[in-house]
Every structure is written in structure tokens, then in C-alpha cells.
């Protein structure tokens, strides 16, 4: 049950939305499920799977068809991320980051030439996108970044590094935010598209992570990297403001990722609780277990409603800052709680890699950190409600 919100308050998916959700489910079952633990153990980034996702239309979900995208809305976007994340959240994370951040930034703020140049390659999955805002010393305090872009005639010279970047090694195109003005000035940063192979642009250390291990996270390094002014996205000085708008929409996709984890962990727990027998009956008949399941189911419903309300606002071009932050905060915190309870319901087996809940538990924690921590969401929400 997912809402296709409109005036009559019909919460069911349309026939088309069901078909899209089913195609995402089939994609995950066929191309992802057999390899989940293998990729997780070895931290292997399966680039081929993302090229396949591109063929299925999952790499340019909300990009118009004229640029090679699927031209879908945010309810469909949520459904795709959710279904894939129920099987492997790290693949869901990579698809969300590619769509919302890199591809979304070019779509929303690029000029016609930039869109024609890059969007078809990104939307088809031929190219994988990265997006660079975070640095070693500037996580939540993104405005204090040290990476600079100094003007030199028709070029900008980039120096510095970005870290915790999804697809930092395998990405073919990165949208990078660098300082073109004074530190701390919200209009002192600009966005640039940098293609792989540009002299002075390289990848650094790959992170060894707790969870989301098949989603590549690495450093981007700029050493006197010359970028032509044609690669500046939007106006000089608009990069940080653009980023905040990109994160508003991106938070809906992290909500969807969280929802997929919650549902995956809950469904595994429901199945296990019905099958596992102790003291002569299934453990689902014990109140201690049934109450856990009832709370999980309720948190899932609440997460889903918040996420789809934010998707509804986004589809209608309304301001989504507050609701996107609420959806992301609630769904991500809920998924950590649900994954933890899933391990508890499985008991000793939940602590082994034989059952899927161990991985959901590790993967869940990223959702409360990436694309703005829970604490940052509270800052965003409180600022808006106290205006």
C-alpha cells in the first residue's frame, strides 16, 4: 500500500506505478539478489548492474524523455528505490545518489547544452555520476569548504579534495562544489561538472565501511585541475544554494532507501517469527514478539505516508524542504530501530550472515548520516517551523 496522493486521497498505486514497482522488484531479484553477500564481503562495486539499471530506465528516473530519461514522477522514484533496497540497500543507495545528486543537479541547474551533453549518458547508465560537497573537515558545515576554484581567463583551477563521495572512483562525471569566493559566504561557492580523465582530477582512498559495502565511497582529488568555464553549472556563486535544493529532493530518495530497509527487515522477521518454534508454538504467538512486529508495521506505514507526501509536493513543484527533512529523519531513524528489532527477533541467527537481517542492520545506520544527519534535519525542520 503506497499513496498516489491526490484530492480524493486514493492511497493505492496506479496500474502504471505497480508495473514500475514490479519491474524494479524483478530487476533486483534477477541481477542483484544472487550476489548480495559476495559483493558485501568483498566491497565490490558492480558497475555492470548499473549499466543494466540504465537499460531498465532506473538511472534517469525523473529526467524527461527528450534527454533519454524515463520522465517519471517522485512516487515512481520512491517505488524503484524501495523495491531495490528491500533486496540490497547498497544498490538502492547508489541508484538514489546517481539520480538525485549528480544527474539531478545537471537537470535542475544546467543549461541546454550541458543537459544535451551529459544527461543522455547518465540517464542511459552508460555513465555513472558522482557528486562532491563533503570534505574531510567540513561534513555538516559544508559552507566552510577548503576546495577552491580560482579563475584563470576562460578556465577555473580547482585544488582540494572531497571525501565520502559515492562513486568517487567509478564515476564518469562528477558535479563538484568549490569555493569561488570568501569562506563561509553562502554565495561564495560554485558548481562544476568534471569529467573523468580531466588532467589534475583523480580518485583517492576508498572507504572500508560498516555497511552499504557494494556502494563505492571514495575521495575525489583536484591538483591544479583546469576546468573550462563552460563546465560551470548555473551562475558563479550559486553552487551552495543549488546544493541545498538538490539535497531537499535527495532526502526523499534516502527516505525511500530507509523504507526499503525497513520493509526488507520486517518481512524477514514476520516470516521467521511464524516459522520459528519455541516452547511448542511459533514465536509470533508470544506477546514480546508480536508487539515488536506491530510497532515495526506502524513505523513503516508512518514512514511511507511522510515520504509519499513529500513526493507529492515535489511532483507539484511545491517547496519540499521541511517535509523532505521530516520524511528523511523519521524513515531513517525508524529503519535503524526496525533493523535492530529484526536482529533481536531472529535471536542468535540474526547475528549471523546466514539471515538477511544482519546486513539490513549494518546498512541501516548510513541512512541517519548521509545527505544530512538526523541532527541537521532537526536544524532544517526547526528553522522552518519557527520562521
Amino acid at each position: 500500500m503506497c499513496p498516489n496522493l491526490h484530492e480524493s486521497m486514493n492511497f493505492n498505486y496506479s496500474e502504471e506505478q505497480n508495473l514500475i514497482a514490479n519491474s524494479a522488484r524483478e530487476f533486483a531479484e534477477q541481477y542483484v539478489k544472487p550476489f548480495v553477500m559476495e559483493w558485501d564481503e568483498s566491497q565490490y562495486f558492480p558497475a555492470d548492474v548499473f549499466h543494466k539499471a540504465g537499460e531498465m530506465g532506473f538511472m534517469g528516473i525523473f529526467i524527461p524523455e527528450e534527454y533519454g530519461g524515463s520522465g517519471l514522477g517522485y512516487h515512481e522514484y520512491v517505488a524503484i528505490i524501495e523495491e531495490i533496497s528491500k533486496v540490497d540497500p547498497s544498490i538502492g543507495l547508489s541508484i538514489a545518489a546517481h539520480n538525485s545528486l549528480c544527474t539531478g543537479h545537471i537537470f535542475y541547474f544546467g543549461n541546454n547544452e550541458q543537459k544535451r551533453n551529459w544527461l543522455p549518458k547518465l540517464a542511459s547508465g552508460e555513465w555513472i555520476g558522482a557528486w562532491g560537497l563533503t570534505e574531510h573537515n567540513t561534513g555538516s558545515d559544508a559552507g566552510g569548504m577548503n576546495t577552491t576554484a580560482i579563475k584563470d581567463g576562460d578556465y577555473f583551477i580547482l585544488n582540494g579534495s572531497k571525501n565520502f563521495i559515492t562513486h568517487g572512483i567509478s564515476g564518469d562525471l562528477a558535479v563538484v562544489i568549490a569555493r569561488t569566493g570568501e569562506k563561509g559566504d553562502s554565495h561564495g561557492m560554485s558548481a562544476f561538472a568534471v569529467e573523468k580523465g580531466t588532467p589534475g582530477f583523480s580518485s583517492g582512498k576508498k572507504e572500508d565501511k560498516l555497511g552499504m559495502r557494494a556502494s563505492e565511497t571514495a575521495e575525489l582529488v583536484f591538483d591544479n585541475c583546469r576546468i573550462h568555464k563552460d563546465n560551470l553549472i548555473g551562475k558563479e556563486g550559486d553552487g551552495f544554494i543549488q546544493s541545498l535544493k538538490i539535497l531537499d529532493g535527495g532526502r526523499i530518495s534516502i527516505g525511500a532507501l530507509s523504507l526499503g530497509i525497513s520493509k526488507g527487515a520486517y518481512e524477514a522477521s514476520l516470516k521467521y517469527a511464524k516459522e520459528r518454534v519455541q516452547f511448542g508454538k511459533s514465536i509470533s504467538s508470544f506477546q514480546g514478539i508480536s508487539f515488536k512486529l506491530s510497532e515495526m508495521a506502524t513505523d513503516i506505514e508512518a514512514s511511507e505516508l511522510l515520504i509519499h507526501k513529500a513526493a507529492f509536493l515535489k511532483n507539484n513543484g511545491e517547496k519540499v524542504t521541511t517535509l523532505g527533512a521530516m520524511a528523511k529523519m523519521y524513515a531513517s531513524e525508524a529503519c535503524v530501530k526496525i533493523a535492530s528489532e529484526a536482529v533481536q527477533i531472529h535471536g542468535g541467527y540474526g547475528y549471523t550472515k546466514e539471515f538477511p537481517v544482519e546486513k539490513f542492520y549494518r546498512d541501516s545506520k548510513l541512512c541517519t548520516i548521509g545527505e544530512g544527519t538526523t541532527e541537521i534535519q532537526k536544524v532544517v525542520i526547526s528553522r522552518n517551523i519557527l520562521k
Side-chain angles (χ1 to χ4, degrees), residues 117-180:
N117 196 8
W118 291 312
L119 288 180
K121 290 173 184 163
L122 291 163
S124 66
E126 179 193 338
W127 278 18
I128 292 169
W131 191 76
L133 178 66
T134 302
E135 297 183 5
H136 292 274
N137 296 313
T138 58
S140 295
D141 177 22
M145 67 179 59
N146 295 311
T147 298
T148 55
I150 308 294
K151 215 165 190 175
D152 180 28
D154 283 344
Y155 289 83
F156 287 87
I157 314 293
L158 263 68
N159 277 294
S161 64
K162 298 285 176 182
N163 82 325
F164 297 140
I165 307 305
T166 305
H167 312 141
I169 295 166
S170 301
D172 299 281
L173 180 76
V175 172
V176 179
I177 320 304
R179 199 154 50 76
T180 46

Side-chain angles (χ1 to χ4, degrees), residues 182-371:
E182 291 305 307
K183 207 174 209 181
D185 175 9
S186 62
H187 292 281
M189 291 158 274
S190 304
F192 301 90
V194 190
E195 291 186 23
K196 193 178 204 167
T198 303
F201 174 38
S202 62
S203 301
K205 173 178 159 251
K206 179 175 172 173
E207 300 298 340
D208 185 3
K209 307 198 300 287
L210 168 73
M212 302 288 191
R213 289 166 63 84
S215 179
E216 177 186 273
T217 307
E219 243 181 346
L220 299 178
V221 181
F222 303 94
D223 181 11
N224 290 322
C225 178
R226 288 173 70 81
I227 305 295
H228 195 270
K229 65 180 182 184
D230 288 350
N231 286 31
L232 173 70
I233 300 173
K235 292 196 189 85
E236 189 179 332
D238 280 358
F240 188 63
I241 306 302
Q242 292 170 3
S243 298
L244 295 180
K245 289 178 181 163
I246 290 299
L247 288 168
D248 281 349
R251 283 168 186 155
I252 298 171
S253 69
I254 301 299
L257 169 64
S258 304
L259 183 61
I261 293 172
S262 291
K263 286 191 176 182
Y266 166 72
E267 286 167 15
S269 300
L270 196 62
K271 180 175 184 286
Y272 182 82
K274 286 176 178 174
E275 291 169 359
R276 172 72 165 163
V277 174
Q278 292 288 274
F279 306 102
K281 49 188 175 178
S282 74
I283 64 169
S284 62
S285 65
F286 296 113
Q287 196 177 69
I289 301 297
S290 64
F291 277 17
K292 286 185 193 299
L293 292 166
S294 66
E295 283 184 29
M296 291 159 114
T298 305
D299 277 342
I300 285 168
E301 286 291 325
S303 299
E304 196 158 40
L305 286 166
L306 269 171
I307 293 159
H308 280 284
K309 186 174 179 187
F312 173 75
L313 295 178
K314 184 78 177 156
N315 280 347
N316 287 281
E318 293 179 47
K319 199 162 164 48
V320 79
T321 307
T322 309
L323 222 92
M326 286 176 171
K328 194 270 189 192
M329 178 180 82
Y330 188 90
S332 65
E333 289 292 341
C335 89
V336 172
K337 185 175 131 194
I338 288 167
S340 175
E341 290 286 47
V343 172
Q344 193 71 15
I345 288 168
H346 282 70
Y349 291 111
Y351 207 68
T352 70
K353 292 184 185 290
E354 212 178 309
F355 286 79
V357 293
E358 175 270 346
K359 184 174 179 297
F360 284 129
Y361 184 53
R362 287 186 289 108
D363 288 347
S364 69
K365 193 57 202 158
L366 180 276
C367 300
T368 68
I369 299 168
E371 289 196 38

